Amino acid sequence: MTARLLLIGPPGAGKGTQAARLSTHFGIPAISTGDIFRQNLRDETELGTKAKAYIEAGDNVPDELTNDLVRDRLEQADCADGFLLDGYPRTTDQVRALDEFLAEHGTALDAVVELVADPDVVVERLKKRAVDQGRVDDDENVVRHRLAVYAEQTAPLIDVYAERGMLTKVDGIGEIDEVTARILEALTVRDLP
Ligand code: ADP
């Protein structure tokens, strides 16, 4: 069974955690643009150097850089039978680029999962993660900025996918296992195993 899925939700909604579980369940790679950028920052690659200031400020990395990165990744062999994108698309231009990629490859998404989480809860979660993991963009002011960027640039994509009849909303608050079960249940309703 192939599955081509998107996971959308505010910073701190738990996308990365759920993406890892869905990846195992469906046997598809979970692709997190945030993780790829952070790895490039650590490795001090050209991409990392270009993305650094945006990430540290909590701004989106420019679309062109991000779209090229995702296109290269999706063209790798392990994505042939499906993939889960976490944190992409994040802007209307990224939706356009992904649509183009899928059309060129004669394929389509199966579902878009929105992980719904209250901003106050995610700020608390991210404060805790700042202490545990020391991510440079988990500083409280940067977190608030990331939430504002999400509201402005990414939240509108939810309506785009809802209008296409692809969106399924899942409550992201609760135990990790519970949230995974909710997502799998929501996808079963959409005919994914
Ligand atoms: P979160 O969603 O919790 O903010 P991510 O790991 O998804 O964390 O993203 C961290 C940072 O990486 C973002 O603030 C942004 O700078 C950059 N980034 C990740 N994905 C994208 C994307 N699709 N487009 C532009 N920038 C991105």
Side-chain angles (χ1 to χ4, degrees), residues 11-12 15 33-34 37-38 54-55 58-61 66 87-88 90 94 129 135 137 146:
K15 298 186 299 292
T33 43
F37 282 132
R38 277 186 291 280
Y54 300 99
I55 293 172
D59 282 318
N60 283 335
V61 175
T66 310
Y88 181 94
R90 245 177 162 88
Q94 294 180 15
R129 189 171 75 184
R135 246 175 72 165
D137 58 349
R146 280 158 58 208

PDB file of all heavy atoms in Angstrom, residues 11-12 15 33-34 37-38 54-55 58-61 66 87-88 90 94 129 135 137 146, ligand 1:
ATOM      1  N   PRO A  11       4.081  24.998  15.138  1.00  0.00           N
ATOM      2  CA  PRO A  11       5.281  24.534  15.831  1.00  0.00           C
ATOM      3  C   PRO A  11       4.864  23.988  17.199  1.00  0.00           C
ATOM      4  O   PRO A  11       4.007  24.572  17.860  1.00  0.00           O
ATOM      5  CB  PRO A  11       6.117  25.798  16.032  1.00  0.00           C
ATOM      6  CG  PRO A  11       5.537  26.840  15.159  1.00  0.00           C
ATOM      7  CD  PRO A  11       4.158  26.413  14.764  1.00  0.00           C
ATOM      8  N   GLY A  12       5.425  22.863  17.576  1.00  0.00           N
ATOM      9  CA  GLY A  12       5.129  22.325  18.904  1.00  0.00           C
ATOM     10  C   GLY A  12       3.887  21.458  18.958  1.00  0.00           C
ATOM     11  O   GLY A  12       3.524  20.941  20.019  1.00  0.00           O
ATOM     12  N   LYS A  15       4.327  17.264  15.458  1.00  0.00           N
ATOM     13  CA  LYS A  15       4.398  16.685  14.105  1.00  0.00           C
ATOM     14  C   LYS A  15       5.549  15.687  13.975  1.00  0.00           C
ATOM     15  O   LYS A  15       5.365  14.612  13.422  1.00  0.00           O
ATOM     16  CB  LYS A  15       4.571  17.784  13.039  1.00  0.00           C
ATOM     17  CG  LYS A  15       3.423  18.771  12.956  1.00  0.00           C
ATOM     18  CD  LYS A  15       3.593  19.740  11.796  1.00  0.00           C
ATOM     19  CE  LYS A  15       4.857  20.598  11.889  1.00  0.00           C
ATOM     20  NZ  LYS A  15       4.868  21.586  12.976  1.00  0.00           N
ATOM     21  N   THR A  33      11.413  18.905   6.664  1.00  0.00           N
ATOM     22  CA  THR A  33      12.296  19.950   6.132  1.00  0.00           C
ATOM     23  C   THR A  33      13.076  20.609   7.275  1.00  0.00           C
ATOM     24  O   THR A  33      14.248  20.936   7.111  1.00  0.00           O
ATOM     25  CB  THR A  33      11.496  20.999   5.328  1.00  0.00           C
ATOM     26  OG1 THR A  33      10.297  21.319   6.033  1.00  0.00           O
ATOM     27  CG2 THR A  33      11.142  20.485   3.953  1.00  0.00           C
ATOM     28  N   GLY A  34      12.446  20.768   8.435  1.00  0.00           N
ATOM     29  CA  GLY A  34      13.146  21.356   9.586  1.00  0.00           C
ATOM     30  C   GLY A  34      14.363  20.515   9.962  1.00  0.00           C
ATOM     31  O   GLY A  34      15.455  21.044  10.189  1.00  0.00           O
ATOM     32  N   PHE A  37      17.088  20.907   7.351  1.00  0.00           N
ATOM     33  CA  PHE A  37      17.787  22.195   7.523  1.00  0.00           C
ATOM     34  C   PHE A  37      18.728  22.152   8.729  1.00  0.00           C
ATOM     35  O   PHE A  37      19.872  22.603   8.639  1.00  0.00           O
ATOM     36  CB  PHE A  37      16.786  23.348   7.687  1.00  0.00           C
ATOM     37  CG  PHE A  37      16.162  23.796   6.395  1.00  0.00           C
ATOM     38  CD1 PHE A  37      14.786  23.967   6.291  1.00  0.00           C
ATOM     39  CD2 PHE A  37      16.945  24.069   5.274  1.00  0.00           C
ATOM     40  CE1 PHE A  37      14.208  24.390   5.095  1.00  0.00           C
ATOM     41  CE2 PHE A  37      16.372  24.493   4.078  1.00  0.00           C
ATOM     42  CZ  PHE A  37      14.994  24.652   3.992  1.00  0.00           C
ATOM     43  N   ARG A  38      18.248  21.596   9.839  1.00  0.00           N
ATOM     44  CA  ARG A  38      19.104  21.552  11.042  1.00  0.00           C
ATOM     45  C   ARG A  38      20.355  20.696  10.802  1.00  0.00           C
ATOM     46  O   ARG A  38      21.442  21.052  11.240  1.00  0.00           O
ATOM     47  CB  ARG A  38      18.323  21.029  12.260  1.00  0.00           C
ATOM     48  CG  ARG A  38      17.512  22.129  12.948  1.00  0.00           C
ATOM     49  CD  ARG A  38      16.868  21.644  14.229  1.00  0.00           C
ATOM     50  NE  ARG A  38      15.813  20.681  13.963  1.00  0.00           N
ATOM     51  CZ  ARG A  38      14.581  21.002  13.577  1.00  0.00           C
ATOM     52  NH1 ARG A  38      14.240  22.262  13.426  1.00  0.00           N
ATOM     53  NH2 ARG A  38      13.685  20.067  13.338  1.00  0.00           N
ATOM     54  N   TYR A  54      17.573  32.652   8.688  1.00  0.00           N
ATOM     55  CA  TYR A  54      16.111  32.518   8.696  1.00  0.00           C
ATOM     56  C   TYR A  54      15.667  31.626   9.841  1.00  0.00           C
ATOM     57  O   TYR A  54      14.718  31.934  10.561  1.00  0.00           O
ATOM     58  CB  TYR A  54      15.608  31.924   7.370  1.00  0.00           C
ATOM     59  CG  TYR A  54      15.953  32.771   6.174  1.00  0.00           C
ATOM     60  CD1 TYR A  54      17.052  32.466   5.372  1.00  0.00           C
ATOM     61  CD2 TYR A  54      15.188  33.894   5.854  1.00  0.00           C
ATOM     62  CE1 TYR A  54      17.377  33.244   4.272  1.00  0.00           C
ATOM     63  CE2 TYR A  54      15.504  34.682   4.756  1.00  0.00           C
ATOM     64  CZ  TYR A  54      16.612  34.351   3.972  1.00  0.00           C
ATOM     65  OH  TYR A  54      16.931  35.133   2.891  1.00  0.00           O
ATOM     66  N   ILE A  55      16.355  30.509   9.982  1.00  0.00           N
ATOM     67  CA  ILE A  55      15.963  29.545  11.016  1.00  0.00           C
ATOM     68  C   ILE A  55      16.144  30.159  12.399  1.00  0.00           C
ATOM     69  O   ILE A  55      15.268  30.065  13.249  1.00  0.00           O
ATOM     70  CB  ILE A  55      16.781  28.250  10.865  1.00  0.00           C
ATOM     71  CG1 ILE A  55      16.369  27.575   9.553  1.00  0.00           C
ATOM     72  CG2 ILE A  55      16.580  27.327  12.053  1.00  0.00           C
ATOM     73  CD1 ILE A  55      17.219  26.403   9.161  1.00  0.00           C
ATOM     74  N   GLY A  58      13.422  32.387  13.197  1.00  0.00           N
ATOM     75  CA  GLY A  58      12.077  31.797  13.195  1.00  0.00           C
ATOM     76  C   GLY A  58      11.287  32.147  11.948  1.00  0.00           C
ATOM     77  O   GLY A  58      10.065  32.018  11.914  1.00  0.00           O
ATOM     78  N   ASP A  59      11.975  32.609  10.916  1.00  0.00           N
ATOM     79  CA  ASP A  59      11.313  32.900   9.642  1.00  0.00           C
ATOM     80  C   ASP A  59      11.387  31.682   8.734  1.00  0.00           C
ATOM     81  O   ASP A  59      12.266  30.837   8.894  1.00  0.00           O
ATOM     82  CB  ASP A  59      12.022  34.074   8.941  1.00  0.00           C
ATOM     83  CG  ASP A  59      11.635  35.398   9.553  1.00  0.00           C
ATOM     84  OD1 ASP A  59      10.435  35.586   9.844  1.00  0.00           O
ATOM     85  OD2 ASP A  59      12.538  36.238   9.773  1.00  0.00           O
ATOM     86  N   ASN A  60      10.491  31.643   7.738  1.00  0.00           N
ATOM     87  CA  ASN A  60      10.596  30.583   6.752  1.00  0.00           C
ATOM     88  C   ASN A  60      11.833  30.807   5.895  1.00  0.00           C
ATOM     89  O   ASN A  60      12.140  31.935   5.519  1.00  0.00           O
ATOM     90  CB  ASN A  60       9.362  30.570   5.848  1.00  0.00           C
ATOM     91  CG  ASN A  60       8.161  29.939   6.525  1.00  0.00           C
ATOM     92  OD1 ASN A  60       8.323  29.117   7.430  1.00  0.00           O
ATOM     93  ND2 ASN A  60       6.977  30.317   6.099  1.00  0.00           N
ATOM     94  N   VAL A  61      12.481  29.714   5.579  1.00  0.00           N
ATOM     95  CA  VAL A  61      13.580  29.753   4.617  1.00  0.00           C
ATOM     96  C   VAL A  61      12.932  30.077   3.254  1.00  0.00           C
ATOM     97  O   VAL A  61      11.801  29.652   2.998  1.00  0.00           O
ATOM     98  CB  VAL A  61      14.295  28.378   4.609  1.00  0.00           C
ATOM     99  CG1 VAL A  61      15.369  28.317   3.537  1.00  0.00           C
ATOM    100  CG2 VAL A  61      14.881  28.092   5.992  1.00  0.00           C
ATOM    101  N   THR A  66      13.827  25.920  -0.433  1.00  0.00           N
ATOM    102  CA  THR A  66      13.070  24.828   0.193  1.00  0.00           C
ATOM    103  C   THR A  66      12.470  23.912  -0.868  1.00  0.00           C
ATOM    104  O   THR A  66      12.524  22.684  -0.754  1.00  0.00           O
ATOM    105  CB  THR A  66      11.984  25.423   1.103  1.00  0.00           C
ATOM    106  OG1 THR A  66      12.570  26.396   1.950  1.00  0.00           O
ATOM    107  CG2 THR A  66      11.345  24.350   1.957  1.00  0.00           C
ATOM    108  N   GLY A  87       6.123  19.458   7.855  1.00  0.00           N
ATOM    109  CA  GLY A  87       6.652  20.831   7.813  1.00  0.00           C
ATOM    110  C   GLY A  87       6.798  21.377   6.407  1.00  0.00           C
ATOM    111  O   GLY A  87       7.432  22.423   6.209  1.00  0.00           O
ATOM    112  N   TYR A  88       6.246  20.697   5.446  1.00  0.00           N
ATOM    113  CA  TYR A  88       6.262  21.152   4.054  1.00  0.00           C
ATOM    114  C   TYR A  88       4.986  20.637   3.405  1.00  0.00           C
ATOM    115  O   TYR A  88       4.668  19.457   3.604  1.00  0.00           O
ATOM    116  CB  TYR A  88       7.477  20.601   3.312  1.00  0.00           C
ATOM    117  CG  TYR A  88       7.561  21.053   1.854  1.00  0.00           C
ATOM    118  CD1 TYR A  88       8.311  22.166   1.502  1.00  0.00           C
ATOM    119  CD2 TYR A  88       6.864  20.372   0.856  1.00  0.00           C
ATOM    120  CE1 TYR A  88       8.366  22.594   0.179  1.00  0.00           C
ATOM    121  CE2 TYR A  88       6.915  20.802  -0.463  1.00  0.00           C
ATOM    122  CZ  TYR A  88       7.673  21.911  -0.794  1.00  0.00           C
ATOM    123  OH  TYR A  88       7.725  22.337  -2.096  1.00  0.00           O
ATOM    124  N   ARG A  90       4.654  24.879   3.478  1.00  0.00           N
ATOM    125  CA  ARG A  90       4.413  25.861   4.527  1.00  0.00           C
ATOM    126  C   ARG A  90       3.929  27.187   3.956  1.00  0.00           C
ATOM    127  O   ARG A  90       3.614  28.094   4.734  1.00  0.00           O
ATOM    128  CB  ARG A  90       5.759  26.150   5.200  1.00  0.00           C
ATOM    129  CG  ARG A  90       5.897  25.745   6.636  1.00  0.00           C
ATOM    130  CD  ARG A  90       7.329  26.085   6.995  1.00  0.00           C
ATOM    131  NE  ARG A  90       7.565  26.155   8.402  1.00  0.00           N
ATOM    132  CZ  ARG A  90       7.908  25.123   9.163  1.00  0.00           C
ATOM    133  NH1 ARG A  90       8.013  23.926   8.669  1.00  0.00           N
ATOM    134  NH2 ARG A  90       8.156  25.309  10.442  1.00  0.00           N
ATOM    135  N   GLN A  94       4.927  26.948  -1.961  1.00  0.00           N
ATOM    136  CA  GLN A  94       5.362  25.553  -1.760  1.00  0.00           C
ATOM    137  C   GLN A  94       4.252  24.580  -2.165  1.00  0.00           C
ATOM    138  O   GLN A  94       4.539  23.496  -2.693  1.00  0.00           O
ATOM    139  CB  GLN A  94       5.806  25.334  -0.311  1.00  0.00           C
ATOM    140  CG  GLN A  94       7.075  26.128   0.031  1.00  0.00           C
ATOM    141  CD  GLN A  94       7.549  25.942   1.461  1.00  0.00           C
ATOM    142  OE1 GLN A  94       7.128  25.027   2.164  1.00  0.00           O
ATOM    143  NE2 GLN A  94       8.439  26.822   1.908  1.00  0.00           N
ATOM    144  N   ARG A 129      10.994  21.972  25.538  1.00  0.00           N
ATOM    145  CA  ARG A 129      11.937  21.419  24.566  1.00  0.00           C
ATOM    146  C   ARG A 129      13.212  22.271  24.506  1.00  0.00           C
ATOM    147  O   ARG A 129      14.309  21.754  24.301  1.00  0.00           O
ATOM    148  CB  ARG A 129      11.280  21.354  23.185  1.00  0.00           C
ATOM    149  CG  ARG A 129      12.119  20.596  22.181  1.00  0.00           C
ATOM    150  CD  ARG A 129      11.381  20.339  20.892  1.00  0.00           C
ATOM    151  NE  ARG A 129      11.288  21.530  20.082  1.00  0.00           N
ATOM    152  CZ  ARG A 129      10.621  21.600  18.928  1.00  0.00           C
ATOM    153  NH1 ARG A 129       9.961  20.558  18.482  1.00  0.00           N
ATOM    154  NH2 ARG A 129      10.598  22.719  18.241  1.00  0.00           N
ATOM    155  N   ARG A 135      17.379  23.736  21.185  1.00  0.00           N
ATOM    156  CA  ARG A 135      17.256  24.219  19.800  1.00  0.00           C
ATOM    157  C   ARG A 135      17.299  25.742  19.783  1.00  0.00           C
ATOM    158  O   ARG A 135      16.605  26.394  20.567  1.00  0.00           O
ATOM    159  CB  ARG A 135      15.918  23.732  19.213  1.00  0.00           C
ATOM    160  CG  ARG A 135      16.111  22.761  18.081  1.00  0.00           C
ATOM    161  CD  ARG A 135      14.793  22.215  17.616  1.00  0.00           C
ATOM    162  NE  ARG A 135      14.009  23.197  16.878  1.00  0.00           N
ATOM    163  CZ  ARG A 135      12.965  22.858  16.137  1.00  0.00           C
ATOM    164  NH1 ARG A 135      12.591  21.607  16.043  1.00  0.00           N
ATOM    165  NH2 ARG A 135      12.292  23.786  15.495  1.00  0.00           N
ATOM    166  N   ASP A 137      16.034  27.875  17.945  1.00  0.00           N
ATOM    167  CA  ASP A 137      14.807  28.605  17.623  1.00  0.00           C
ATOM    168  C   ASP A 137      13.688  28.321  18.628  1.00  0.00           C
ATOM    169  O   ASP A 137      12.545  28.649  18.387  1.00  0.00           O
ATOM    170  CB  ASP A 137      14.360  28.301  16.186  1.00  0.00           C
ATOM    171  CG  ASP A 137      14.116  26.825  15.920  1.00  0.00           C
ATOM    172  OD1 ASP A 137      14.480  25.997  16.786  1.00  0.00           O
ATOM    173  OD2 ASP A 137      13.561  26.512  14.860  1.00  0.00           O
ATOM    174  N   ARG A 146       7.585  32.309  15.383  1.00  0.00           N
ATOM    175  CA  ARG A 146       7.267  31.147  14.534  1.00  0.00           C
ATOM    176  C   ARG A 146       5.764  30.890  14.498  1.00  0.00           C
ATOM    177  O   ARG A 146       5.207  30.531  13.457  1.00  0.00           O
ATOM    178  CB  ARG A 146       8.008  29.898  15.035  1.00  0.00           C
ATOM    179  CG  ARG A 146       9.463  29.884  14.555  1.00  0.00           C
ATOM    180  CD  ARG A 146      10.358  29.013  15.400  1.00  0.00           C
ATOM    181  NE  ARG A 146       9.932  27.650  15.476  1.00  0.00           N
ATOM    182  CZ  ARG A 146      10.178  26.834  16.515  1.00  0.00           C
ATOM    183  NH1 ARG A 146      10.856  27.292  17.562  1.00  0.00           N
ATOM    184  NH2 ARG A 146       9.772  25.614  16.505  1.00  0.00           N
TER     185      ARG A 146
HETATM  186  P1  ADP B   1       8.488  23.903  13.787  1.00  0.00           P
HETATM  187  O1  ADP B   1       7.414  23.516  12.831  1.00  0.00           O
HETATM  188  O2  ADP B   1       8.342  23.285  15.130  1.00  0.00           O
HETATM  189  O3  ADP B   1       8.712  25.382  13.829  1.00  0.00           O
HETATM  190  P2  ADP B   1      10.480  22.782  12.007  1.00  0.00           P
HETATM  191  O4  ADP B   1      11.541  21.856  12.424  1.00  0.00           O
HETATM  192  O5  ADP B   1       9.418  22.264  11.092  1.00  0.00           O
HETATM  193  O6  ADP B   1       9.872  23.332  13.341  1.00  0.00           O
HETATM  194  O7  ADP B   1      11.127  24.067  11.310  1.00  0.00           O
HETATM  195  C1  ADP B   1      12.165  24.797  11.902  1.00  0.00           C
HETATM  196  C2  ADP B   1      12.588  25.935  10.995  1.00  0.00           C
HETATM  197  O8  ADP B   1      13.080  25.405   9.744  1.00  0.00           O
HETATM  198  C3  ADP B   1      11.472  26.897  10.577  1.00  0.00           C
HETATM  199  O9  ADP B   1      11.248  27.907  11.528  1.00  0.00           O
HETATM  200  C4  ADP B   1      12.019  27.438   9.254  1.00  0.00           C
HETATM  201  O10 ADP B   1      13.015  28.414   9.454  1.00  0.00           O
HETATM  202  C5  ADP B   1      12.698  26.225   8.645  1.00  0.00           C
HETATM  203  N1  ADP B   1      11.763  25.462   7.780  1.00  0.00           N
HETATM  204  C6  ADP B   1      11.326  24.192   7.982  1.00  0.00           C
HETATM  205  N2  ADP B   1      10.490  23.806   6.995  1.00  0.00           N
HETATM  206  C7  ADP B   1      10.379  24.851   6.146  1.00  0.00           C
HETATM  207  C8  ADP B   1       9.642  25.091   4.961  1.00  0.00           C
HETATM  208  N3  ADP B   1       8.837  24.152   4.413  1.00  0.00           N
HETATM  209  N4  ADP B   1       9.779  26.292   4.354  1.00  0.00           N
HETATM  210  C9  ADP B   1      10.568  27.234   4.862  1.00  0.00           C
HETATM  211  N5  ADP B   1      11.279  27.094   5.986  1.00  0.00           N
HETATM  212  C10 ADP B   1      11.199  25.914   6.644  1.00  0.00           C
END
